Amino acid sequence: MTEQEIANLVMMAMLLLLPIALGVMLSGRSRGNRYVLKWARGLAVATIVLAVAYDLAGAVFLLRAEPRAGQPSWLPPPGAVDDPSFYLPIGVGAFVAGLGLLVAATRARHRLGPS
């Protein structure tokens, strides 16, 4: 697998986990099932971890693509063409959405009371 394929796979996993976690959270909240809400929290945490990893990897590749000292700024740095493309706003949006799902699932589980 190339670096671009790995970046795309992480982005796809992030974007697929969000609606699944939302559906699980809504299902668990409507039925009052604490076990299902635990799964929703786990999916939200997994989404947050993937979003942070995606953004950190994107930031590392951006820093690597900075021109070196003494290199003309109009020339791309060597090796920057081979770097994968990252869409950092998607990672930030997935992080915020995952954080919102985590808070909502935790609140729903708290409102159910002690098991």
Side-chain angles (χ1 to χ4, degrees):
M1 276 186 115
T2 64
E3 292 173 341
Q4 184 64 52
E5 290 171 344
I6 293 171
N8 291 343
L9 184 67
V10 170
M11 183 175 64
M12 185 181 66
M14 261 187 329
L15 297 178
L16 284 176
L17 282 178
L18 282 172
I20 293 170
L22 180 64
V24 168
M25 192 263 309
L26 292 175
S27 171
R29 194 175 80 182
S30 68
R31 295 182 185 173
N33 192 342
R34 295 175 64 83
Y35 184 71
V36 173
L37 289 172
K38 183 192 258 187
W39 271 95
R41 282 189 354 194
L43 289 172
V45 168
T47 301
I48 290 170
V49 168
L50 284 174
V52 168
Y54 184 80
D55 280 340
L56 285 177
V60 166
F61 279 110
L62 277 176
L63 289 174
R64 248 182 56 184
E66 284 290 315
R68 309 291 189 265
Q71 179 184 2
S73 61
W74 60 85
L75 292 176
V81 177
D82 301 329
D83 289 346
S85 299
F86 286 88
Y87 303 102
L88 295 180
I90 290 176
V92 172
F95 175 77
V96 171
L99 200 58
L101 276 171
L102 182 63
V103 168
T106 304
R107 286 187 65 208
R109 194 160 186 229
H110 177 72
R111 287 184 186 219
L112 287 178
S115 58

PDB file of all heavy atoms in Angstrom, residues 10-26 39-40 42-51 89-102:
ATOM      1  N   VAL A  10      -7.565   5.774   6.212  1.00  0.00           N
ATOM      2  CA  VAL A  10      -7.826   6.364   7.529  1.00  0.00           C
ATOM      3  C   VAL A  10      -8.958   7.380   7.438  1.00  0.00           C
ATOM      4  O   VAL A  10      -9.855   7.411   8.292  1.00  0.00           O
ATOM      5  CB  VAL A  10      -6.540   7.011   8.101  1.00  0.00           C
ATOM      6  CG1 VAL A  10      -6.841   7.837   9.335  1.00  0.00           C
ATOM      7  CG2 VAL A  10      -5.520   5.946   8.421  1.00  0.00           C
ATOM      8  N   MET A  11      -8.950   8.201   6.379  1.00  0.00           N
ATOM      9  CA  MET A  11     -10.020   9.179   6.208  1.00  0.00           C
ATOM     10  C   MET A  11     -11.364   8.489   6.007  1.00  0.00           C
ATOM     11  O   MET A  11     -12.374   8.889   6.586  1.00  0.00           O
ATOM     12  CB  MET A  11      -9.721  10.100   5.022  1.00  0.00           C
ATOM     13  CG  MET A  11     -10.766  11.180   4.846  1.00  0.00           C
ATOM     14  SD  MET A  11     -10.386  12.371   3.564  1.00  0.00           S
ATOM     15  CE  MET A  11     -10.397  11.377   2.097  1.00  0.00           C
ATOM     16  N   MET A  12     -11.390   7.442   5.224  1.00  0.00           N
ATOM     17  CA  MET A  12     -12.639   6.713   4.984  1.00  0.00           C
ATOM     18  C   MET A  12     -13.144   6.066   6.274  1.00  0.00           C
ATOM     19  O   MET A  12     -14.342   6.096   6.571  1.00  0.00           O
ATOM     20  CB  MET A  12     -12.428   5.653   3.912  1.00  0.00           C
ATOM     21  CG  MET A  12     -13.693   4.923   3.518  1.00  0.00           C
ATOM     22  SD  MET A  12     -13.413   3.661   2.283  1.00  0.00           S
ATOM     23  CE  MET A  12     -12.406   2.506   3.181  1.00  0.00           C
ATOM     24  N   ALA A  13     -12.230   5.493   7.062  1.00  0.00           N
ATOM     25  CA  ALA A  13     -12.635   4.869   8.326  1.00  0.00           C
ATOM     26  C   ALA A  13     -13.214   5.907   9.276  1.00  0.00           C
ATOM     27  O   ALA A  13     -14.218   5.650   9.949  1.00  0.00           O
ATOM     28  CB  ALA A  13     -11.440   4.161   8.957  1.00  0.00           C
ATOM     29  N   MET A  14     -12.589   7.080   9.327  1.00  0.00           N
ATOM     30  CA  MET A  14     -13.106   8.162  10.175  1.00  0.00           C
ATOM     31  C   MET A  14     -14.520   8.529   9.777  1.00  0.00           C
ATOM     32  O   MET A  14     -15.410   8.641  10.620  1.00  0.00           O
ATOM     33  CB  MET A  14     -12.246   9.418   9.994  1.00  0.00           C
ATOM     34  CG  MET A  14     -11.235   9.682  11.002  1.00  0.00           C
ATOM     35  SD  MET A  14     -10.446  11.291  10.780  1.00  0.00           S
ATOM     36  CE  MET A  14     -10.444  11.649   9.060  1.00  0.00           C
ATOM     37  N   LEU A  15     -14.705   8.723   8.484  1.00  0.00           N
ATOM     38  CA  LEU A  15     -16.007   9.193   8.008  1.00  0.00           C
ATOM     39  C   LEU A  15     -17.073   8.102   8.063  1.00  0.00           C
ATOM     40  O   LEU A  15     -18.264   8.414   8.093  1.00  0.00           O
ATOM     41  CB  LEU A  15     -15.868   9.748   6.591  1.00  0.00           C
ATOM     42  CG  LEU A  15     -14.956  10.976   6.491  1.00  0.00           C
ATOM     43  CD1 LEU A  15     -14.831  11.426   5.048  1.00  0.00           C
ATOM     44  CD2 LEU A  15     -15.462  12.107   7.362  1.00  0.00           C
ATOM     45  N   LEU A  16     -16.690   6.834   8.080  1.00  0.00           N
ATOM     46  CA  LEU A  16     -17.671   5.759   8.231  1.00  0.00           C
ATOM     47  C   LEU A  16     -18.041   5.514   9.693  1.00  0.00           C
ATOM     48  O   LEU A  16     -19.173   5.131   9.987  1.00  0.00           O
ATOM     49  CB  LEU A  16     -17.152   4.470   7.603  1.00  0.00           C
ATOM     50  CG  LEU A  16     -17.188   4.400   6.092  1.00  0.00           C
ATOM     51  CD1 LEU A  16     -16.547   3.103   5.614  1.00  0.00           C
ATOM     52  CD2 LEU A  16     -18.598   4.501   5.580  1.00  0.00           C
ATOM     53  N   LEU A  17     -17.080   5.714  10.588  1.00  0.00           N
ATOM     54  CA  LEU A  17     -17.365   5.481  12.002  1.00  0.00           C
ATOM     55  C   LEU A  17     -18.317   6.513  12.590  1.00  0.00           C
ATOM     56  O   LEU A  17     -19.073   6.194  13.511  1.00  0.00           O
ATOM     57  CB  LEU A  17     -16.066   5.472  12.808  1.00  0.00           C
ATOM     58  CG  LEU A  17     -15.233   4.202  12.723  1.00  0.00           C
ATOM     59  CD1 LEU A  17     -13.964   4.371  13.538  1.00  0.00           C
ATOM     60  CD2 LEU A  17     -15.998   3.004  13.199  1.00  0.00           C
ATOM     61  N   LEU A  18     -18.303   7.737  12.072  1.00  0.00           N
ATOM     62  CA  LEU A  18     -19.163   8.780  12.629  1.00  0.00           C
ATOM     63  C   LEU A  18     -20.651   8.461  12.529  1.00  0.00           C
ATOM     64  O   LEU A  18     -21.356   8.490  13.538  1.00  0.00           O
ATOM     65  CB  LEU A  18     -18.842  10.130  11.972  1.00  0.00           C
ATOM     66  CG  LEU A  18     -17.596  10.810  12.489  1.00  0.00           C
ATOM     67  CD1 LEU A  18     -17.263  12.017  11.640  1.00  0.00           C
ATOM     68  CD2 LEU A  18     -17.762  11.203  13.928  1.00  0.00           C
ATOM     69  N   PRO A  19     -21.188   8.135  11.347  1.00  0.00           N
ATOM     70  CA  PRO A  19     -22.628   7.827  11.302  1.00  0.00           C
ATOM     71  C   PRO A  19     -22.983   6.533  12.034  1.00  0.00           C
ATOM     72  O   PRO A  19     -24.075   6.419  12.601  1.00  0.00           O
ATOM     73  CB  PRO A  19     -22.952   7.734   9.812  1.00  0.00           C
ATOM     74  CG  PRO A  19     -21.676   7.678   9.102  1.00  0.00           C
ATOM     75  CD  PRO A  19     -20.609   8.184  10.005  1.00  0.00           C
ATOM     76  N   ILE A  20     -22.061   5.576  12.037  1.00  0.00           N
ATOM     77  CA  ILE A  20     -22.329   4.333  12.776  1.00  0.00           C
ATOM     78  C   ILE A  20     -22.422   4.636  14.263  1.00  0.00           C
ATOM     79  O   ILE A  20     -23.340   4.171  14.957  1.00  0.00           O
ATOM     80  CB  ILE A  20     -21.246   3.282  12.474  1.00  0.00           C
ATOM     81  CG1 ILE A  20     -21.338   2.831  11.017  1.00  0.00           C
ATOM     82  CG2 ILE A  20     -21.372   2.093  13.406  1.00  0.00           C
ATOM     83  CD1 ILE A  20     -20.179   1.977  10.568  1.00  0.00           C
ATOM     84  N   ALA A  21     -21.486   5.429  14.781  1.00  0.00           N
ATOM     85  CA  ALA A  21     -21.515   5.794  16.199  1.00  0.00           C
ATOM     86  C   ALA A  21     -22.761   6.605  16.532  1.00  0.00           C
ATOM     87  O   ALA A  21     -23.372   6.409  17.592  1.00  0.00           O
ATOM     88  CB  ALA A  21     -20.261   6.585  16.564  1.00  0.00           C
ATOM     89  N   LEU A  22     -23.173   7.483  15.636  1.00  0.00           N
ATOM     90  CA  LEU A  22     -24.387   8.268  15.867  1.00  0.00           C
ATOM     91  C   LEU A  22     -25.610   7.371  15.922  1.00  0.00           C
ATOM     92  O   LEU A  22     -26.458   7.506  16.806  1.00  0.00           O
ATOM     93  CB  LEU A  22     -24.544   9.331  14.787  1.00  0.00           C
ATOM     94  CG  LEU A  22     -25.768  10.228  14.898  1.00  0.00           C
ATOM     95  CD1 LEU A  22     -25.698  11.051  16.175  1.00  0.00           C
ATOM     96  CD2 LEU A  22     -25.892  11.119  13.691  1.00  0.00           C
ATOM     97  N   GLY A  23     -25.721   6.429  14.981  1.00  0.00           N
ATOM     98  CA  GLY A  23     -26.859   5.507  14.990  1.00  0.00           C
ATOM     99  C   GLY A  23     -26.877   4.624  16.220  1.00  0.00           C
ATOM    100  O   GLY A  23     -27.931   4.391  16.822  1.00  0.00           O
ATOM    101  N   VAL A  24     -25.708   4.136  16.638  1.00  0.00           N
ATOM    102  CA  VAL A  24     -25.633   3.296  17.835  1.00  0.00           C
ATOM    103  C   VAL A  24     -26.013   4.108  19.067  1.00  0.00           C
ATOM    104  O   VAL A  24     -26.742   3.643  19.940  1.00  0.00           O
ATOM    105  CB  VAL A  24     -24.221   2.687  17.963  1.00  0.00           C
ATOM    106  CG1 VAL A  24     -24.008   2.061  19.327  1.00  0.00           C
ATOM    107  CG2 VAL A  24     -23.990   1.667  16.879  1.00  0.00           C
ATOM    108  N   MET A  25     -25.540   5.361  19.130  1.00  0.00           N
ATOM    109  CA  MET A  25     -25.852   6.204  20.280  1.00  0.00           C
ATOM    110  C   MET A  25     -27.337   6.508  20.356  1.00  0.00           C
ATOM    111  O   MET A  25     -27.953   6.416  21.426  1.00  0.00           O
ATOM    112  CB  MET A  25     -25.050   7.503  20.208  1.00  0.00           C
ATOM    113  CG  MET A  25     -25.073   8.335  21.477  1.00  0.00           C
ATOM    114  SD  MET A  25     -26.269   9.683  21.544  1.00  0.00           S
ATOM    115  CE  MET A  25     -26.010  10.584  20.077  1.00  0.00           C
ATOM    116  N   LEU A  26     -27.955   6.836  19.234  1.00  0.00           N
ATOM    117  CA  LEU A  26     -29.387   7.124  19.229  1.00  0.00           C
ATOM    118  C   LEU A  26     -30.207   5.890  19.559  1.00  0.00           C
ATOM    119  O   LEU A  26     -31.215   5.962  20.271  1.00  0.00           O
ATOM    120  CB  LEU A  26     -29.803   7.711  17.875  1.00  0.00           C
ATOM    121  CG  LEU A  26     -29.267   9.105  17.571  1.00  0.00           C
ATOM    122  CD1 LEU A  26     -29.646   9.520  16.157  1.00  0.00           C
ATOM    123  CD2 LEU A  26     -29.771  10.107  18.580  1.00  0.00           C
ATOM    124  N   TRP A  39     -20.746   0.949  23.527  1.00  0.00           N
ATOM    125  CA  TRP A  39     -20.212   0.769  22.174  1.00  0.00           C
ATOM    126  C   TRP A  39     -20.141   2.102  21.434  1.00  0.00           C
ATOM    127  O   TRP A  39     -19.195   2.362  20.692  1.00  0.00           O
ATOM    128  CB  TRP A  39     -21.078  -0.215  21.389  1.00  0.00           C
ATOM    129  CG  TRP A  39     -20.633  -1.621  21.567  1.00  0.00           C
ATOM    130  CD1 TRP A  39     -21.117  -2.527  22.454  1.00  0.00           C
ATOM    131  CD2 TRP A  39     -19.594  -2.265  20.847  1.00  0.00           C
ATOM    132  NE1 TRP A  39     -20.438  -3.707  22.331  1.00  0.00           N
ATOM    133  CE2 TRP A  39     -19.498  -3.578  21.352  1.00  0.00           C
ATOM    134  CE3 TRP A  39     -18.725  -1.869  19.841  1.00  0.00           C
ATOM    135  CZ2 TRP A  39     -18.573  -4.495  20.863  1.00  0.00           C
ATOM    136  CZ3 TRP A  39     -17.802  -2.780  19.366  1.00  0.00           C
ATOM    137  CH2 TRP A  39     -17.743  -4.070  19.875  1.00  0.00           C
ATOM    138  N   ALA A  40     -21.147   2.958  21.627  1.00  0.00           N
ATOM    139  CA  ALA A  40     -21.136   4.273  20.978  1.00  0.00           C
ATOM    140  C   ALA A  40     -19.957   5.102  21.474  1.00  0.00           C
ATOM    141  O   ALA A  40     -19.298   5.789  20.686  1.00  0.00           O
ATOM    142  CB  ALA A  40     -22.451   4.997  21.250  1.00  0.00           C
ATOM    143  N   GLY A  42     -17.139   3.896  22.607  1.00  0.00           N
ATOM    144  CA  GLY A  42     -15.941   3.290  22.024  1.00  0.00           C
ATOM    145  C   GLY A  42     -15.726   3.707  20.580  1.00  0.00           C
ATOM    146  O   GLY A  42     -14.600   4.000  20.163  1.00  0.00           O
ATOM    147  N   LEU A  43     -16.802   3.750  19.798  1.00  0.00           N
ATOM    148  CA  LEU A  43     -16.689   4.192  18.400  1.00  0.00           C
ATOM    149  C   LEU A  43     -16.305   5.663  18.319  1.00  0.00           C
ATOM    150  O   LEU A  43     -15.534   6.066  17.438  1.00  0.00           O
ATOM    151  CB  LEU A  43     -18.000   3.940  17.661  1.00  0.00           C
ATOM    152  CG  LEU A  43     -18.342   2.482  17.377  1.00  0.00           C
ATOM    153  CD1 LEU A  43     -19.753   2.368  16.814  1.00  0.00           C
ATOM    154  CD2 LEU A  43     -17.346   1.880  16.410  1.00  0.00           C
ATOM    155  N   ALA A  44     -16.839   6.481  19.231  1.00  0.00           N
ATOM    156  CA  ALA A  44     -16.477   7.902  19.241  1.00  0.00           C
ATOM    157  C   ALA A  44     -15.000   8.077  19.591  1.00  0.00           C
ATOM    158  O   ALA A  44     -14.303   8.890  18.973  1.00  0.00           O
ATOM    159  CB  ALA A  44     -17.357   8.659  20.232  1.00  0.00           C
ATOM    160  N   VAL A  45     -14.509   7.314  20.549  1.00  0.00           N
ATOM    161  CA  VAL A  45     -13.086   7.393  20.906  1.00  0.00           C
ATOM    162  C   VAL A  45     -12.218   6.932  19.742  1.00  0.00           C
ATOM    163  O   VAL A  45     -11.184   7.544  19.441  1.00  0.00           O
ATOM    164  CB  VAL A  45     -12.805   6.581  22.191  1.00  0.00           C
ATOM    165  CG1 VAL A  45     -11.318   6.396  22.412  1.00  0.00           C
ATOM    166  CG2 VAL A  45     -13.444   7.252  23.393  1.00  0.00           C
ATOM    167  N   ALA A  46     -12.627   5.878  19.053  1.00  0.00           N
ATOM    168  CA  ALA A  46     -11.866   5.403  17.890  1.00  0.00           C
ATOM    169  C   ALA A  46     -11.827   6.473  16.799  1.00  0.00           C
ATOM    170  O   ALA A  46     -10.781   6.689  16.164  1.00  0.00           O
ATOM    171  CB  ALA A  46     -12.479   4.116  17.346  1.00  0.00           C
ATOM    172  N   THR A  47     -12.940   7.174  16.586  1.00  0.00           N
ATOM    173  CA  THR A  47     -12.979   8.245  15.598  1.00  0.00           C
ATOM    174  C   THR A  47     -12.051   9.385  16.002  1.00  0.00           C
ATOM    175  O   THR A  47     -11.331   9.940  15.167  1.00  0.00           O
ATOM    176  CB  THR A  47     -14.420   8.770  15.443  1.00  0.00           C
ATOM    177  OG1 THR A  47     -15.258   7.691  15.049  1.00  0.00           O
ATOM    178  CG2 THR A  47     -14.500   9.864  14.415  1.00  0.00           C
ATOM    179  N   ILE A  48     -12.038   9.729  17.284  1.00  0.00           N
ATOM    180  CA  ILE A  48     -11.167  10.806  17.762  1.00  0.00           C
ATOM    181  C   ILE A  48      -9.703  10.425  17.562  1.00  0.00           C
ATOM    182  O   ILE A  48      -8.896  11.242  17.102  1.00  0.00           O
ATOM    183  CB  ILE A  48     -11.473  11.124  19.240  1.00  0.00           C
ATOM    184  CG1 ILE A  48     -12.837  11.809  19.363  1.00  0.00           C
ATOM    185  CG2 ILE A  48     -10.394  12.008  19.849  1.00  0.00           C
ATOM    186  CD1 ILE A  48     -13.332  11.957  20.779  1.00  0.00           C
ATOM    187  N   VAL A  49      -9.356   9.198  17.874  1.00  0.00           N
ATOM    188  CA  VAL A  49      -7.969   8.747  17.713  1.00  0.00           C
ATOM    189  C   VAL A  49      -7.563   8.783  16.236  1.00  0.00           C
ATOM    190  O   VAL A  49      -6.472   9.253  15.886  1.00  0.00           O
ATOM    191  CB  VAL A  49      -7.786   7.338  18.315  1.00  0.00           C
ATOM    192  CG1 VAL A  49      -6.459   6.724  17.901  1.00  0.00           C
ATOM    193  CG2 VAL A  49      -7.901   7.396  19.821  1.00  0.00           C
ATOM    194  N   LEU A  50      -8.441   8.314  15.356  1.00  0.00           N
ATOM    195  CA  LEU A  50      -8.134   8.351  13.920  1.00  0.00           C
ATOM    196  C   LEU A  50      -8.005   9.782  13.410  1.00  0.00           C
ATOM    197  O   LEU A  50      -7.137  10.081  12.585  1.00  0.00           O
ATOM    198  CB  LEU A  50      -9.206   7.597  13.134  1.00  0.00           C
ATOM    199  CG  LEU A  50      -9.145   6.080  13.189  1.00  0.00           C
ATOM    200  CD1 LEU A  50     -10.360   5.483  12.479  1.00  0.00           C
ATOM    201  CD2 LEU A  50      -7.874   5.571  12.557  1.00  0.00           C
ATOM    202  N   ALA A  51      -8.873  10.676  13.885  1.00  0.00           N
ATOM    203  CA  ALA A  51      -8.812  12.077  13.450  1.00  0.00           C
ATOM    204  C   ALA A  51      -7.514  12.736  13.892  1.00  0.00           C
ATOM    205  O   ALA A  51      -6.877  13.461  13.121  1.00  0.00           O
ATOM    206  CB  ALA A  51     -10.019  12.843  13.982  1.00  0.00           C
ATOM    207  N   PRO A  89      -8.954  19.996   7.153  1.00  0.00           N
ATOM    208  CA  PRO A  89     -10.254  20.357   7.725  1.00  0.00           C
ATOM    209  C   PRO A  89     -11.175  19.143   7.951  1.00  0.00           C
ATOM    210  O   PRO A  89     -11.980  19.151   8.883  1.00  0.00           O
ATOM    211  CB  PRO A  89     -10.858  21.312   6.697  1.00  0.00           C
ATOM    212  CG  PRO A  89      -9.689  21.883   5.988  1.00  0.00           C
ATOM    213  CD  PRO A  89      -8.672  20.784   5.944  1.00  0.00           C
ATOM    214  N   ILE A  90     -11.018  18.106   7.150  1.00  0.00           N
ATOM    215  CA  ILE A  90     -11.834  16.902   7.357  1.00  0.00           C
ATOM    216  C   ILE A  90     -11.439  16.233   8.671  1.00  0.00           C
ATOM    217  O   ILE A  90     -12.299  15.792   9.439  1.00  0.00           O
ATOM    218  CB  ILE A  90     -11.675  15.934   6.175  1.00  0.00           C
ATOM    219  CG1 ILE A  90     -12.339  16.526   4.933  1.00  0.00           C
ATOM    220  CG2 ILE A  90     -12.277  14.570   6.500  1.00  0.00           C
ATOM    221  CD1 ILE A  90     -12.167  15.702   3.692  1.00  0.00           C
ATOM    222  N   GLY A  91     -10.158  16.190   8.969  1.00  0.00           N
ATOM    223  CA  GLY A  91      -9.695  15.613  10.227  1.00  0.00           C
ATOM    224  C   GLY A  91     -10.169  16.411  11.429  1.00  0.00           C
ATOM    225  O   GLY A  91     -10.584  15.851  12.446  1.00  0.00           O
ATOM    226  N   VAL A  92     -10.125  17.745  11.307  1.00  0.00           N
ATOM    227  CA  VAL A  92     -10.582  18.599  12.406  1.00  0.00           C
ATOM    228  C   VAL A  92     -12.087  18.440  12.595  1.00  0.00           C
ATOM    229  O   VAL A  92     -12.582  18.338  13.726  1.00  0.00           O
ATOM    230  CB  VAL A  92     -10.207  20.072  12.142  1.00  0.00           C
ATOM    231  CG1 VAL A  92     -10.837  20.989  13.171  1.00  0.00           C
ATOM    232  CG2 VAL A  92      -8.706  20.244  12.127  1.00  0.00           C
ATOM    233  N   GLY A  93     -12.831  18.391  11.497  1.00  0.00           N
ATOM    234  CA  GLY A  93     -14.282  18.200  11.595  1.00  0.00           C
ATOM    235  C   GLY A  93     -14.645  16.853  12.201  1.00  0.00           C
ATOM    236  O   GLY A  93     -15.566  16.753  13.016  1.00  0.00           O
ATOM    237  N   ALA A  94     -13.917  15.809  11.821  1.00  0.00           N
ATOM    238  CA  ALA A  94     -14.172  14.489  12.395  1.00  0.00           C
ATOM    239  C   ALA A  94     -13.822  14.466  13.876  1.00  0.00           C
ATOM    240  O   ALA A  94     -14.508  13.816  14.671  1.00  0.00           O
ATOM    241  CB  ALA A  94     -13.381  13.422  11.647  1.00  0.00           C
ATOM    242  N   PHE A  95     -12.773  15.182  14.270  1.00  0.00           N
ATOM    243  CA  PHE A  95     -12.408  15.266  15.688  1.00  0.00           C
ATOM    244  C   PHE A  95     -13.518  15.936  16.485  1.00  0.00           C
ATOM    245  O   PHE A  95     -13.927  15.439  17.540  1.00  0.00           O
ATOM    246  CB  PHE A  95     -11.099  16.033  15.845  1.00  0.00           C
ATOM    247  CG  PHE A  95     -10.708  16.261  17.272  1.00  0.00           C
ATOM    248  CD1 PHE A  95     -10.159  15.232  18.022  1.00  0.00           C
ATOM    249  CD2 PHE A  95     -10.889  17.489  17.875  1.00  0.00           C
ATOM    250  CE1 PHE A  95      -9.797  15.433  19.338  1.00  0.00           C
ATOM    251  CE2 PHE A  95     -10.532  17.703  19.187  1.00  0.00           C
ATOM    252  CZ  PHE A  95      -9.986  16.664  19.924  1.00  0.00           C
ATOM    253  N   VAL A  96     -14.021  17.060  15.987  1.00  0.00           N
ATOM    254  CA  VAL A  96     -15.080  17.783  16.694  1.00  0.00           C
ATOM    255  C   VAL A  96     -16.364  16.953  16.740  1.00  0.00           C
ATOM    256  O   VAL A  96     -17.032  16.874  17.778  1.00  0.00           O
ATOM    257  CB  VAL A  96     -15.321  19.160  16.036  1.00  0.00           C
ATOM    258  CG1 VAL A  96     -16.546  19.842  16.592  1.00  0.00           C
ATOM    259  CG2 VAL A  96     -14.096  20.041  16.220  1.00  0.00           C
ATOM    260  N   ALA A  97     -16.705  16.300  15.636  1.00  0.00           N
ATOM    261  CA  ALA A  97     -17.905  15.465  15.617  1.00  0.00           C
ATOM    262  C   ALA A  97     -17.750  14.267  16.554  1.00  0.00           C
ATOM    263  O   ALA A  97     -18.696  13.896  17.268  1.00  0.00           O
ATOM    264  CB  ALA A  97     -18.190  14.996  14.196  1.00  0.00           C
ATOM    265  N   GLY A  98     -16.581  13.650  16.573  1.00  0.00           N
ATOM    266  CA  GLY A  98     -16.331  12.531  17.489  1.00  0.00           C
ATOM    267  C   GLY A  98     -16.399  12.965  18.934  1.00  0.00           C
ATOM    268  O   GLY A  98     -16.925  12.246  19.790  1.00  0.00           O
ATOM    269  N   LEU A  99     -15.879  14.156  19.221  1.00  0.00           N
ATOM    270  CA  LEU A  99     -15.950  14.688  20.575  1.00  0.00           C
ATOM    271  C   LEU A  99     -17.400  14.952  20.975  1.00  0.00           C
ATOM    272  O   LEU A  99     -17.803  14.652  22.102  1.00  0.00           O
ATOM    273  CB  LEU A  99     -15.125  15.969  20.661  1.00  0.00           C
ATOM    274  CG  LEU A  99     -14.675  16.444  22.018  1.00  0.00           C
ATOM    275  CD1 LEU A  99     -13.835  15.375  22.711  1.00  0.00           C
ATOM    276  CD2 LEU A  99     -13.878  17.716  21.875  1.00  0.00           C
ATOM    277  N   GLY A 100     -18.188  15.485  20.047  1.00  0.00           N
ATOM    278  CA  GLY A 100     -19.617  15.699  20.324  1.00  0.00           C
ATOM    279  C   GLY A 100     -20.348  14.393  20.570  1.00  0.00           C
ATOM    280  O   GLY A 100     -21.206  14.304  21.462  1.00  0.00           O
ATOM    281  N   LEU A 101     -20.026  13.368  19.788  1.00  0.00           N
ATOM    282  CA  LEU A 101     -20.652  12.055  20.002  1.00  0.00           C
ATOM    283  C   LEU A 101     -20.245  11.457  21.337  1.00  0.00           C
ATOM    284  O   LEU A 101     -21.071  10.850  22.029  1.00  0.00           O
ATOM    285  CB  LEU A 101     -20.253  11.100  18.882  1.00  0.00           C
ATOM    286  CG  LEU A 101     -21.074  11.170  17.617  1.00  0.00           C
ATOM    287  CD1 LEU A 101     -20.429  10.337  16.533  1.00  0.00           C
ATOM    288  CD2 LEU A 101     -22.472  10.696  17.875  1.00  0.00           C
ATOM    289  N   LEU A 102     -18.996  11.628  21.705  1.00  0.00           N
ATOM    290  CA  LEU A 102     -18.528  11.108  22.991  1.00  0.00           C
ATOM    291  C   LEU A 102     -19.261  11.784  24.150  1.00  0.00           C
ATOM    292  O   LEU A 102     -19.714  11.121  25.081  1.00  0.00           O
ATOM    293  CB  LEU A 102     -17.019  11.309  23.124  1.00  0.00           C
ATOM    294  CG  LEU A 102     -16.371  10.786  24.397  1.00  0.00           C
ATOM    295  CD1 LEU A 102     -16.519   9.280  24.484  1.00  0.00           C
ATOM    296  CD2 LEU A 102     -14.921  11.185  24.443  1.00  0.00           C
TER     297      LEU A 102
END
